[in-house]
Amino acid sequence: MKEITLALAKGRVAKQTLAILEEMSVKFSEFTEDTRKLVIWDDSKKVRLILVKAVDVPTYVETGAADIGIVGKDVIMEDAKDVYELLDLEISRCKIAVAGFPEEEMEKRSSIIVASKYPNIAKRYFESKGRQADIIKLNGSIELAPLIGMSHVIVDIVETGNTLRENGLVVLEEIAESSARVIANKAGYATKTEEVQKMIKQLREGMAKIN
Ligand code: PRP
Ligand code: MG
């Protein structure tokens, strides 16, 4: 078997994915939640894990730096890359939604100002509704934008809803559902079919054991 490289987002996705693989006896003993290491081999030295930022996972996979990656559907929707999407891991479930103040009446505005970490998703969504929108790209703390009058609404992910609640905001419209997906490099899938399929099988079976 050839070695394969797996790109994971640091944080919860990495932790949950490794718990799934551990069910299948693929162990990364060197991994700890607070590790600063960026490359970690599994104990049998068959799988090389690289820990990257979530938004960069598709880039590592598209360029072939990683054979496989695990990343949220939100990231894939925002910046589609030329990769295969092979499995829904059903972790990191959340909604992509338009949110704002409960009294917000978007339909009464001639143009809506939208703050988002997902400018492409936001643009496509408002275009599909035939509504004029100006998008302001932010990189975090999106919920702040309506609070300080920077935007009328936001487009962001909602998981528990706590951030919205604590800031007096509500979901106004749901755009899509998201969860972590397994993606693969196209050329790598051709040259390492057996290894990639084995990893997919381990993820699928490990997922079933956990649930
Ligand atoms: C994410 C997201 C929402 C929040 C959703 O932000 O952008 O703000 O989590 O989760 P909740 O519904 O469970 O509150 P994150 O914590 O990653 O911080 P950031 O927006 O500053 O990047
Ligand atoms: Mg946030």
Side-chain angles (χ1 to χ4, degrees):
M1 293 284 267
K2 295 172 191 135
E3 295 154 351
I4 60 168
T5 299
L6 170 64
L8 290 183
K10 297 180 212 173
R12 251 183 312 173
V13 170
K15 201 181 142 205
Q16 288 181 286
T17 303
L18 296 191
I20 290 172
L21 288 174
E22 181 137 16
E23 288 289 327
M24 302 302 292
S25 302
V26 182
K27 292 196 178 72
F28 293 82
S29 299
E30 269 196 297
F31 178 85
T32 56
E33 252 176 276
D34 53 3
T35 187
R36 301 297 298 166
K37 269 183 93 86
L38 300 172
V39 181
I40 299 176
W41 284 92
D42 80 300
D43 299 0
S44 69
K45 300 271 185 297
K46 289 282 177 213
V47 186
R48 181 172 65 157
L49 175 69
I50 57 173
L51 294 165
V52 304
K53 274 200 94 141
V55 291
D56 292 334
V57 168
T59 306
Y60 282 92
V61 174
E62 186 183 49
T63 59
D67 302 297
I68 296 180
I70 297 177
V71 68
K73 184 71 180 176
D74 55 326
V75 173
I76 298 171
M77 282 173 66
E78 175 61 18
D79 186 12
K81 298 279 191 209
D82 192 21
V83 296
Y84 294 130
E85 187 180 316
L86 298 175
L87 179 66
D88 182 351
L89 268 193
E90 295 173 16
I91 57 173
S92 297
R93 284 175 178 282
C94 59
K95 287 193 162 69
I96 306 169
V98 183
F101 289 112
E103 60 275 18
E104 170 63 34
E105 292 177 288
M106 283 190 287
E107 58 288 349
K108 291 197 177 157
R109 299 187 190 277
S110 56
S111 179
I112 309 156
I113 305 175
V114 185
S116 188
K117 208 166 7 182
Y118 304 94
N120 295 325
I121 294 175
K123 184 169 178 284
R124 277 202 307 269
Y125 179 72
F126 284 98
E127 272 173 9
S128 77
K129 297 277 167 191
R131 298 195 213 131
Q132 171 63 38
D134 290 316
I135 319 286
I136 300 172
K137 156 90 188 199
L138 292 175
N139 294 296
S141 302
I142 316 301
E143 294 82 357
L144 183 61
L147 301 187
I148 58 165
M150 184 195 226
S151 73
H152 300 126
V153 298
I154 64 171
V155 166
D156 200 8
I157 53 170
V158 182
E159 200 175 342
T160 61
N162 286 340
T163 312
L164 291 181
R165 248 186 318 275
E166 289 193 25
N167 290 290
L169 304 173
V170 294
V171 169
L172 299 169
E173 290 171 14
E174 286 180 12
I175 299 178
E177 309 247 354
S178 176
S179 55
R181 306 297 158 93
V182 183
I183 57 174
N185 175 268
K186 290 190 171 176
Y189 191 73
T191 55
K192 298 186 190 175
T193 314
E194 199 187 327
E195 290 80 4
V196 173
Q197 282 180 348
K198 183 175 174 199
M199 173 61 58
I200 298 294
K201 186 166 181 279
Q202 287 170 326
L203 287 167
R204 184 180 284 123
E205 290 176 5
M207 222 176 103
K209 281 193 177 192
I210 277 182
N211 294 325

